[in-house]
Amino acid sequence: MTTAAPPLADVLASPTAAVVLDGGLSNQLESAGYDLGDDLWSARLLAEEPEALVAAHLAYYEAGADVVTTAGYQATFEGFARRGIGRDRAAELLALGVDLVREAAGRARAAGVTRPLWAAASVGPYGAMLADGSEYRGRYGVEAAALEAFHRPRLEALAAAGPNVLALETVPDAEEARALLRAVRGLGVPAWLSYTVDGERTRAGGSLEEAFGLAADADEVVAVGVNCCAPEDARRAVEVAARVSGKPVVVYPNSGERWDAAARGWRGRPTFSADRAEEWRRAGARLIGGCCRVGPDAVTAVAQRLRR
């Protein structure tokens, strides 16, 4: 019998909650043979190969993920406009991303998955639209009002599609987080807020206490934490997020390999593991998964560890 998904916020309210997130969408698509060397990244496939996205999402549900995230990280009105896609069609593609995750969930249930499944609409930072790595630096030189005006229309389009949660992710600094928190107000859809960090600072060099503290009084935020960072940096961030926000914590770091920009390749060995996921849970994390280069096998290992 299939279990209907309760509100995610209700599940996270339990001190014993352990909700499993998916892994990296891009690596799953690339392993299937898709070239994502494009300013739209995986969002290009919303228009060109939607079935490829369904298959990638399904792989994560079948691997054990409870929450799967849309291909919306670099899906913006501005980015689509550069490809000659008008606002009406862009809004349709944003909504399609949510529908494709729902389609994958339906197929997972048809295949026998009975646990609750949720769909998260990815909302990347302003820097993701620039497609030049700016999200790992932040402080774009853009006024706060302009950041809010950039995010609000996309958030409205995604909220209208009815995801279970909005994933405000890979945020590099508190300045953009403030704009996102203003932009998400009144949409009627809960959100998580997830920073990318370097050591014990945000990517822009800001205080983690300040960054995570912004979520404390934001009623829309059901979890706060980190993603797209080194696994080694996650535990301290989880501890700080839990302490200063009083909210459930979300954590989904990268594999631990390092990107060599000169060679345009990954170097080193993965350091992401199910053992680390258990540590993050003990530190206060309630939503746990992976980001870049964390695949279905790693998600299965995390799910098995957290559910035993």
Side-chain angles (χ1 to χ4, degrees):
M1 178 179 178
T2 300
T3 303
L8 188 57
D10 292 351
V11 174
L12 297 178
S14 168
T16 61
V19 178
V20 179
L21 305 184
D22 59 0
L25 178 58
S26 62
N27 49 264
Q28 184 63 14
L29 292 167
E30 288 170 341
S31 70
Y34 292 95
D35 180 4
L36 303 182
D38 182 283
D39 284 355
L40 288 178
W41 205 27
S42 57
R44 175 178 62 82
L45 300 185
L46 289 168
E48 298 178 9
E49 294 282 351
E51 182 59 31
L53 294 171
V54 175
H57 297 326
L58 177 59
Y60 281 116
Y61 277 134
E62 292 183 331
D66 304 309
V67 181
V68 164
T69 309
T70 69
Y73 180 77
Q74 283 181 233
T76 64
F77 288 106
E78 293 80 359
F80 283 131
R82 291 198 295 264
R83 300 295 291 271
I85 298 173
R87 290 188 73 84
D88 289 347
R89 177 57 176 158
E92 290 174 357
L93 292 174
L94 287 165
L96 178 62
V98 178
D99 292 340
L100 296 178
V101 174
R102 286 204 196 96
E103 172 65 21
R107 294 187 192 182
R109 294 186 189 102
V113 174
T114 60
R115 68 184 182 276
L117 303 176
W118 291 274
S122 175
V123 180
Y126 180 85
M129 179 271 294
L130 300 176
D132 63 358
S134 294
E135 65 264 47
Y136 300 111
R137 299 187 295 272
R139 298 180 178 173
Y140 315 112
V142 177
E143 292 185 0
L147 287 174
E148 182 179 351
F150 165 78
H151 285 297
R152 179 70 185 196
R154 177 173 48 152
L155 286 164
E156 289 174 340
L158 290 169
N164 299 106
V165 63
L166 296 164
L168 314 179
E169 56 184 357
T170 325
V171 180
D173 56 36
E175 180 180 5
E176 184 160 20
R178 290 189 183 93
L180 279 161
L181 292 176
R182 288 192 297 269
V184 81
R185 287 175 187 159
L187 294 179
V189 179
W192 79 59
L193 174 63
S194 180
Y195 293 90
T196 179
V197 302
D198 185 9
E200 296 191 7
R201 312 288 290 180
T202 68
R203 287 281 188 164
S207 158
L208 294 186
E209 284 80 1
E210 177 191 6
F212 295 136
L214 296 178
D217 298 321
D219 293 340
E220 293 83 3
V221 175
V222 297
V224 63
V226 293
N227 77 289
C228 208
C229 62
E232 294 80 5
D233 291 341
R235 180 173 178 174
R236 173 60 177 160
V238 169
E239 293 171 343
V240 175
R243 174 171 54 82
V244 304
S245 75
K247 302 266 187 176
V249 177
V250 56
V251 56
Y252 50 119
N254 296 332
S255 68
E257 297 159 281
R258 303 288 180 176
W259 176 253
D260 184 332
R264 296 199 60 78
W266 294 92
R267 297 288 181 265
R269 305 180 72 174
T271 58
F272 183 98
S273 71
D275 289 341
R276 289 187 185 275
E278 179 61 35
E279 291 178 2
W280 302 330
R281 181 185 184 181
R282 290 196 298 268
R286 298 292 173 259
L287 289 133
I288 302 170
C291 201
C292 298
R293 295 181 67 78
V294 175
D297 288 347
V299 170
T300 295
V302 169
Q304 291 173 342
R305 175 64 60 87
L306 297 182
R307 291 175 183 146
R308 69 183 184 181

